[in-house]
Amino acid sequence: MCGIFGLITKRNDIPVATIIREGLQRLEYRGYDSAGIALVNNGKIELRKEAGRIDDINKNGLFDSMQGTFGVGHTRWATHGAPVAKNSHPHMDGNGKVAVVHNGIIENFQQLRKELSDRGHVFTSDTDSEVFPHLISEFLDQGKDLKEAVMETIKRCEGAYGIVVCHADTPDYMIVARKESPLTIGITPGETTYCASDIPAFLPLTKTAYILEDDEIAVLYAGEVEIFDVLTGKKRERSPTEVPWSIDAAAKVMNGREYKWFMHKELHEVPRTLKEQVNAPLEDIDAFARAIMEADHVYITAAGTSYYASLAGKFQINKFCGTFIEAILCSEFIDQLPTLPHKTCVIAVSQSGETADTIEAIRYAKEKYGATICSLVNVVGSSITRYSDHIIITTAGPEVAVASQKTYCAQVTALTVVALRIAELRCDMDMKEIAKYKEALQKTADIIESILNNEDKIQEIARIFAKEQNIFFLGRGLSLSAACEGALKIKEISYNHAEAYSAGEAKHGPIALVEYGFSVVFVGPPDETYDRLIGNVMEMKSRGGKILAVVADFDTKITELADYTLRVPIENSKYAIAMSAVPFAFPLQLMAYFAADYNEFDPDKPRNLAKSVTVK
Ligand code: M6R
């Protein structure tokens, strides 16, 4: 949560403030309730910050007109203190010499604030972050240089941070440091150095990057970087890496087509994502599969959309492998599992790899009970990977829209690949059968392509449901995952109140709400749940429910009962039907997108949400 973007350059022909402002805008998916920039100029720091979105703040050039040779900006998702100008970053010390931006939470900030206040420091915000410039300033007054002062400061701070520090009197460099909050460095060697919370923010400027590790501090000179271990103070030699992502990842353009929103573009990237996911490196899949097989107890844990992908993954692993895996929300992991048995494996699923609840769950499992951690993440080098024994990187590439969508499709596919690999390794299923399932999984990319080629139909249906106050999403078995994902998506980006239930559970209470015209969406692939689902459709229909069903395009029975259908072009074979999780969820993701667009909401930046949820 919160986006940081800074730069230091030798060039004097580039608009530093504008480049920082544009970098922040590429990070607005991390938070967008206020923003600010600090630039160093001739021994002074110029600071401008306001509540609101960057476009609005900069309407009359508030940021772009700033003068300075280097500096840093921040776009905020409020945790400590309301989203008002005084709580926006950067924060300064009392002398107006030190400017700091911070992403994360300092847990002992109250104690530090009290100590500093007692020594005469005056705080101007309600944030935890403001302790940084005041502490740094004290260490500077004791004669330390800026790097030493920052090192001493972070030793005093408990919690998570990604910080950038600029000083008015040190025009040649700025300092960055991180612990449990992301911070990446981009470089055009010999010329310009950037720092940002996520790589896509500097992709249009450079693809050469350093990933800062926890407990590291770096001195950023223009076109040069030095990295140090905070605990020992020793320099760490590291070569930069080339980021394999396309520059288009940071733009709403794909194959020459300009999309209105990132979410629409990213939904159109799903076929490519799936083709790459089924061909992910076998050694990663193998290591995952073997860890699951060797464990006596396996849990899969995640939040939000990643949790719903985990429900599908759990179903597939249980079905193909005869194993029993329990899915558990990461925010409930410690409370629901006060002890863990011997030989436990925990599968952590996360798009960002930075979700604080997921990190807390796996650290607890690993550090307290020695569990093996297998993680499925979309961001290389993210925090979750550092606590993991085995890692699969999903092939979605950068996902800019706040609501996850292509990563859900990649996660479900990756977990299905793992399930089929375990089935192969266990040798208790006919290999020819497994091959046919794998072939069917390969074909899901074509199914999604075909759905996208007919997206007008989904757009029409979205308009019919876009204004609904309440919608139920119901499915059974594997399709519970798609029902949950469909409900979450329309809730978070189109603001329709939506609830997902197992279709069998709906009669135990939720059905009380159903009366004439109440919207109910059924996810109805022709699998082993189909006949029982028909009964559930009839229960809703007979009470006046307005029924939308996601069905196979050869479907007849549910189609007769439903008011509207979204038809999925899958083959009528048990292999294709077993791979229905992504093809039956995808139309609901697309429908949510079109509903948000029809309602004139910004689907890329839904209110109150941020892409990485780094608070517990
Ligand atoms: O980065 P993660 O996958 O760990 O994030 C988990 C959830 O915060 C995330 O899926 C969230 O629910 C999104 N808003 C879903 O669109």
Side-chain angles (χ1 to χ4, degrees):
M1 285 170 155
C2 301
I4 290 174
F5 191 90
L7 84 85
I8 182 161
T9 183
K10 283 186 183 158
R11 289 179 60 173
N12 49 21
D13 59 336
I14 55 172
V16 172
T18 302
I19 295 171
I20 292 177
R21 191 259 302 156
E22 288 171 348
L24 288 179
Q25 284 185 293
R26 288 190 286 275
L27 287 166
E28 265 189 306
Y29 58 84
R30 297 185 62 88
Y32 32 88
D33 54 39
S34 55
I37 294 179
L39 289 192
V40 176
N41 193 18
N42 287 328
K44 289 201 173 111
I45 290 183
E46 187 183 356
L47 172 69
R48 295 187 187 175
K49 54 187 191 175
E50 287 290 343
R53 293 191 176 194
I54 296 168
D55 253 345
D56 295 329
I57 301 172
N58 192 50
K59 212 177 280 163
N60 297 316
L62 187 80
F63 288 144
D64 288 3
S65 60
M66 292 175 77
Q67 300 296 317
T69 48
F70 74 99
V72 67
H74 186 273
T75 175
R76 179 170 186 249
W77 189 90
T79 56
H80 294 55
V84 293
K86 70 169 184 174
N87 292 328
S88 314
H89 299 220
H91 291 288
M92 307 271 289
D93 70 327
N95 303 322
K97 289 283 184 183
V98 181
V100 180
V101 296
H102 168 223
N103 172 21
I105 287 184
I106 297 308
E107 287 157 8
N108 60 337
F109 82 99
Q110 282 161 313
Q111 179 206 326
L112 292 172
R113 240 176 116 111
K114 177 161 186 326
E115 283 174 23
L116 286 158
S117 300
D118 290 347
R119 293 198 291 269
H121 290 260
V122 178
F123 285 81
T124 56
S125 79
D126 306 320
T127 65
D128 54 336
S129 312
E130 202 186 346
V131 297
F132 280 109
H134 289 277
L135 274 172
I136 292 167
S137 165
E138 276 202 348
F139 286 114
L140 288 170
D141 288 347
Q142 291 168 17
K144 301 202 182 301
D145 68 20
L146 187 59
K147 186 184 97 196
E148 290 163 349
V150 176
M151 282 170 90
E152 290 307 317
T153 296
I154 55 188
K155 282 180 194 161
R156 301 254 7 241
C157 294
E158 291 164 16
Y161 54 82
I163 53 166
V164 183
V165 184
C166 300
H167 194 289
D169 299 334
T170 57
D172 298 335
Y173 65 93
M174 55 190 189
I175 305 280
V176 300
R178 70 158 285 179
K179 186 180 173 206
E180 294 174 23
S181 282
L183 204 96
T184 57
I185 300 166
I187 187 163
T188 307
E191 183 191 293
T192 307
T193 305
Y194 309 92
C195 54
S197 302
D198 284 336
I199 288 172
F202 57 70
L203 263 190
L205 303 158
T206 182
K207 291 175 95 178
T208 310
Y210 293 91
I211 311 280
L212 207 60
E213 305 276 337
D214 273 356
D215 295 315
E216 283 186 341
I217 185 169
V219 184
L220 308 189
Y221 302 94
E224 210 182 311
V225 174
E226 285 182 341
I227 298 175
F228 299 86
D229 182 322
V230 170
L231 306 174
T232 63
K234 287 201 179 127
K235 192 169 172 184
R236 286 190 171 167
E237 295 304 331
R238 183 162 316 151
S239 307
T241 52
E242 287 301 303
V243 180
W245 294 337
S246 141
I247 289 171
D248 281 356
K252 292 177 202 152
V253 178
M254 187 177 62
N255 298 334
R257 174 175 169 188
E258 172 128 25
Y259 291 82
K260 185 174 170 192
W261 300 106
F262 275 107
M263 181 161 184
H264 197 203
K265 174 200 160 196
E266 289 167 354
L267 285 162
H268 276 256
E269 286 173 350
V270 169
R272 194 261 319 139
T273 297
L274 298 187
K275 279 180 197 151
E276 290 177 12
Q277 195 65 64
V278 287
N279 295 313
L282 186 61
E283 62 269 39
D284 297 348
I285 306 290
D286 246 22
F288 233 73
R290 289 179 197 280
I292 294 168
M293 289 166 72
E294 281 161 17
D296 287 345
H297 302 272
V298 184
Y299 298 95
I300 187 163
T301 193
T305 282
S306 295
Y307 178 71
Y308 300 140
S310 304
L311 292 182
K314 168 194 95 155
F315 186 96
Q316 298 294 51
I317 295 173
N318 290 349
K319 171 179 169 150
F320 285 106
C321 317
T323 329
F324 179 73
I325 291 190
E326 196 174 334
I328 186 150
L329 287 165
C330 52
S331 52
E332 285 289 317
F333 196 91
I334 294 175
D335 299 326
Q336 301 275 344
L337 300 169
T339 60
L340 286 178
H342 188 54
K343 287 188 83 178
T344 290
C345 170
V346 180
I347 307 170
V349 181
S350 174
Q351 170 276 132
S352 61
E354 302 291 346
T355 300
D357 291 329
T358 316
I359 293 173
E360 187 180 43
I362 59 174
R363 288 189 69 176
Y364 162 80
K366 189 174 179 64
E367 288 164 12
K368 209 159 173 204
Y369 296 100
T372 302
I373 310 297
C374 295
S375 65
L376 178 61
V377 296
N378 196 46
V379 180
V380 181
S382 52
S383 300
I384 287 178
T385 61
R386 279 194 291 278
Y387 304 113
S388 303
D389 299 289
H390 308 290
I391 302 159
I392 296 178
I393 302 291
T394 40
T395 54
E399 189 177 64
V400 174
V402 164
S404 303
Q405 9 76 30
K406 61 175 172 167
T407 46
Y408 169 89
C409 300
Q411 289 163 347
V412 172
T413 303
L415 290 166
T416 308
V417 170
V418 170
L420 292 170
R421 184 63 187 148
I422 297 174
E424 273 175 345
L425 292 169
R426 283 165 61 106
C427 299
D428 55 2
M429 198 172 153
D430 182 351
M431 289 294 170
K432 283 190 192 144
E433 280 281 286
I434 297 175
K436 284 183 186 160
Y437 283 116
K438 283 171 118 178
E439 200 184 316
L441 186 62
Q442 296 266 3
K443 286 185 185 162
T444 54
D446 300 334
I447 298 170
I448 303 302
E449 193 82 66
S450 159
I451 292 171
L452 284 165
N453 289 338
N454 294 295
E455 66 179 3
D456 294 0
K457 168 80 180 152
I458 298 179
Q459 190 170 14
E460 272 171 39
I461 299 278
R463 286 179 177 176
I464 295 167
F465 286 83
K467 299 287 178 196
E468 291 301 328
Q469 297 288 313
N470 297 293
I471 311 175
F472 279 168
F473 283 74
L474 307 180
R476 303 184 79 118
L478 178 62
S479 300
L480 184 55
S481 160
C484 291
E485 170 62 359
L488 177 62
K489 226 59 335 155
I490 204 160
K491 180 162 31 192
E492 66 182 338
I493 62 170
S494 180
Y495 312 135
N496 307 84
H497 176 232
E499 297 295 337
Y501 294 99
S502 151
E505 178 66 14
K507 61 183 174 292
H508 295 287
I511 200 168
L513 288 173
V514 178
E515 53 186 0
Y516 183 77
F518 190 102
S519 294
V520 188
V521 177
F522 280 94
V523 184
D527 60 14
E528 56 281 0
T529 66
Y530 186 80
D531 290 338
R532 279 176 296 151
L533 195 80
I534 289 176
N536 303 134
V537 177
M538 290 178 84
E539 286 157 13
M540 295 296 169
K541 176 97 187 144
S542 59
R543 286 163 178 83
K546 178 170 132 188
I547 311 290
L548 167 64
V550 187
V551 290
D553 61 0
F554 52 83
D555 181 86
T556 54
K557 289 185 189 166
I558 292 183
T559 302
E560 270 174 32
L561 297 171
D563 298 290
Y564 306 95
T565 56
L566 290 172
R567 310 189 78 76
V568 180
I570 59 164
E571 278 174 23
N572 191 0
S573 79
K574 74 168 184 180
Y575 308 105
I577 292 165
M579 299 300 145
S580 69
V582 171
F584 278 68
F586 186 78
L588 297 177
Q589 293 181 318
L590 205 47
M591 176 171 128
Y593 162 72
F594 282 123
D597 188 49
Y598 182 69
N599 285 327
E600 297 185 358
F601 296 130
D602 175 345
D604 290 343
K605 298 190 203 87
R607 65 185 175 221
N608 301 335
L609 299 182
K611 188 77 180 158
S612 343
V613 184
T614 50
V615 291
K616 287 174 203 159

